[in-house]
Amino acid sequence: MRLFQRLPFLLALVLLHACASIPERNPLPMELADTAEIPNIPLARRWGDVPAPFQDEWLATPTDILQQQFQGIVGVEHNYLSISGGGANGAYTAGVMVAWTELETRPQFTIVTGISTGALVAPFIFLGSGYDNLIKELYTESSTADIFIERGLIEFLTGDSAVNPSPIRGKLAKVINDDFLAALAAEARKGRKLLISTTNLDAMRPVVWDISAISVSGEPHALQLIRDILLASASIPVAFPPVMFEVEANGQRYDEMHVDGGVTSQVFFHPAGLRFAEALEKLEAQGTPNLYVIRNSKIGAQWETVDRALIPIAARTITSLIRTQGIGDLFQIYLVAKEDGIDVHFAGIPEDFDAPSEEAFDMSYMQALYQRGYQDALQGKVWQDPSFAD
């Protein structure tokens, strides 16, 4: 009887779905997954869960040639920065960075990696303190309406997401421009790396995009490709639409579906098995390298009484999964980095921060969190040794 009563509604959904305007896919076949490339930019990306396929070739390159090619990373101190996802919590990273600049102790990072909200802020941190005002504005003067527009019920039921990300697309198009691309390319030619992670949803695997290699490719579509990568890395599935990338394999064009990098990892540096210590020796890195990891979330468990209803239970479960995944990622980063002889420094949102948030991107909440990160950094309370891993 219940099914019978629901038949008109279910039939309406089927009809609506039949009228959907989502373009048909031309998906990449599984057997071509390891050979597909971004057209004319073969080094644009790689799988994020295995070492780069060209590492042996790179390590065989004579040091004098590397010095000519990448003078900015040979014979100097190495500092790295990895920024996690966390949505509006990226305000914490923004506050820390601005204060770090004011302290005049912020290093130039040899490698910067970012996922989700970390991907959105990573390019500006990579280019240096000259972009501090921009990251402060992004996380203290933006609201939910500046990030996305909620779709109507019919559009939601017949589409691939709950929101329209056109506002954030517009922001990216404005700031990721030709001058910005030229600045990225200038740093890439020194050997510095900006790496962003997305999730290939068909493969259920992380993909690491080499923004530095893309910026120096000279390809006309490089600028739009970078914008799409940043958006894809922050596109939470179901909430945001996936980002489709055109790839080429065996002379044919296909598409790949990419979503938020946080689906497969909350924060990353490099996969186990990469011969990173050998690379450091070859580059004659001075002193002990430092890796700074910012987790835009609280690491400890947070008590919250859950209502006995579908949506609260689902939301709480997902939050728990994200938290434990993030802790696992921190463990992996710590263990791999220590094997490479790298000192690791972690930062996370303080457990006592309790400003209320009324929406996805609550401006008052982000302003308060920005100020907390800013003040903590000025007072030397941000960076901690990873005692949880002992």
Side-chain angles (χ1 to χ4, degrees), residues 52-76:
F54 49 81
Q55 74 165 343
D56 291 339
E57 179 183 346
W58 189 93
L59 287 169
T61 304
T63 301
D64 59 339
I65 295 179
L66 292 178
Q67 288 177 329
Q68 296 173 11
Q69 294 178 336
F70 308 122
Q71 56 181 333
I73 62 172
V74 177
V76 299

Side-chain angles (χ1 to χ4, degrees), residues 303-352:
W303 179 274
E304 179 181 308
T305 301
V306 181
D307 292 337
R308 189 170 180 176
L310 179 62
I311 293 178
I313 292 172
R316 187 63 169 169
T317 301
I318 292 171
T319 300
S320 298
L321 288 171
I322 290 172
R323 172 183 170 269
T324 53
Q325 178 196 31
I327 292 174
D329 292 335
L330 295 180
F331 266 109
Q332 182 181 30
I333 287 175
Y334 172 76
L335 294 174
V336 172
K338 295 307 288 185
E339 287 183 0
D340 294 332
I342 299 172
D343 282 347
V344 186
H345 314 274
F346 286 134
I349 296 177
E351 303 296 330
D352 63 351

Side-chain angles (χ1 to χ4, degrees), residues 232-254:
S233 185
S235 292
I236 303 169
V238 181
F240 286 76
V243 176
M244 310 303 295
F245 291 94
E246 185 179 57
V247 297
E248 187 173 48
N250 288 352
Q252 301 294 319
R253 296 292 178 97
Y254 302 95

Side-chain angles (χ1 to χ4, degrees), residues 167-190:
I168 188 62
R169 275 192 180 276
K171 281 181 175 288
L172 289 174
K174 181 178 179 180
V175 297
I176 309 295
N177 52 29
D178 289 330
D179 290 340
F180 197 87
L181 181 66
L184 288 174
E187 296 306 313
R189 293 188 182 97
K190 299 175 185 178

Side-chain angles (χ1 to χ4, degrees), residues 123-354:
F124 309 108
I125 295 174
F126 177 77
L127 290 182
S129 58
Y131 291 86
D132 281 359
N133 286 338
L134 194 149
I135 63 173
K136 179 181 180 181
E137 176 185 339
L138 178 63
Y139 285 99
T140 62
E141 300 181 23
S142 298
S143 65
T144 303
D146 297 310
I147 307 300
F148 61 77
I149 301 169
E150 291 188 12
R151 299 188 191 275
L153 178 60
I154 293 179
E155 189 178 10
F156 168 62
L157 292 175
T158 61
D160 57 4
S161 66
V163 306
N164 180 340
S166 56
I168 188 62
R169 275 192 180 276
K171 281 181 175 288
L172 289 174
K174 181 178 179 180
V175 297
I176 309 295
N177 52 29
D178 289 330
D179 290 340
F180 197 87
L181 181 66
L184 288 174
E187 296 306 313
R189 293 188 182 97
K190 299 175 185 178
R192 297 178 62 216
K193 286 291 185 183
L194 173 60
L195 306 174
I196 301 299
S197 180
T198 64
T199 297
N200 181 320
L201 204 53
D202 292 320
M204 299 174 62
R205 295 178 66 184
V207 174
V208 172
W209 298 81
D210 190 336
I211 305 299
S212 300
I214 296 170
S215 70
V216 298
S217 67
E219 286 299 308
H221 65 286
L223 185 60
Q224 186 57 49
L225 177 60
I226 292 174
R227 294 169 183 160
D228 289 342
I229 292 166
L230 300 182
L231 180 61
S233 185
S235 292
I236 303 169
V238 181
F240 286 76
V243 176
M244 310 303 295
F245 291 94
E246 185 179 57
V247 297
E248 187 173 48
N250 288 352
Q252 301 294 319
R253 296 292 178 97
Y254 302 95
D255 67 54
E256 289 181 350
M257 178 183 290
H258 287 245
V259 298
D260 196 311
V263 171
T264 44
S265 179
Q266 291 299 305
V267 63
F268 76 102
F269 182 50
H270 73 72
L274 189 69
R275 293 157 62 186
F276 202 85
E278 292 182 45
L280 288 172
E281 183 178 356
K282 194 170 192 64
L283 293 171
E284 300 176 354
Q286 300 298 299
T288 301
N290 290 288
L291 169 61
Y292 300 91
V293 183
I294 301 181
R295 178 75 177 101
N296 288 303
S297 177
K298 296 179 181 180
I299 296 177
Q302 304 296 308
W303 179 274
E304 179 181 308
T305 301
V306 181
D307 292 337
R308 189 170 180 176
L310 179 62
I311 293 178
I313 292 172
R316 187 63 169 169
T317 301
I318 292 171
T319 300
S320 298
L321 288 171
I322 290 172
R323 172 183 170 269
T324 53
Q325 178 196 31
I327 292 174
D329 292 335
L330 295 180
F331 266 109
Q332 182 181 30
I333 287 175
Y334 172 76
L335 294 174
V336 172
K338 295 307 288 185
E339 287 183 0
D340 294 332
I342 299 172
D343 282 347
V344 186
H345 314 274
F346 286 134
I349 296 177
E351 303 296 330
D352 63 351
F353 180 78
D354 59 358

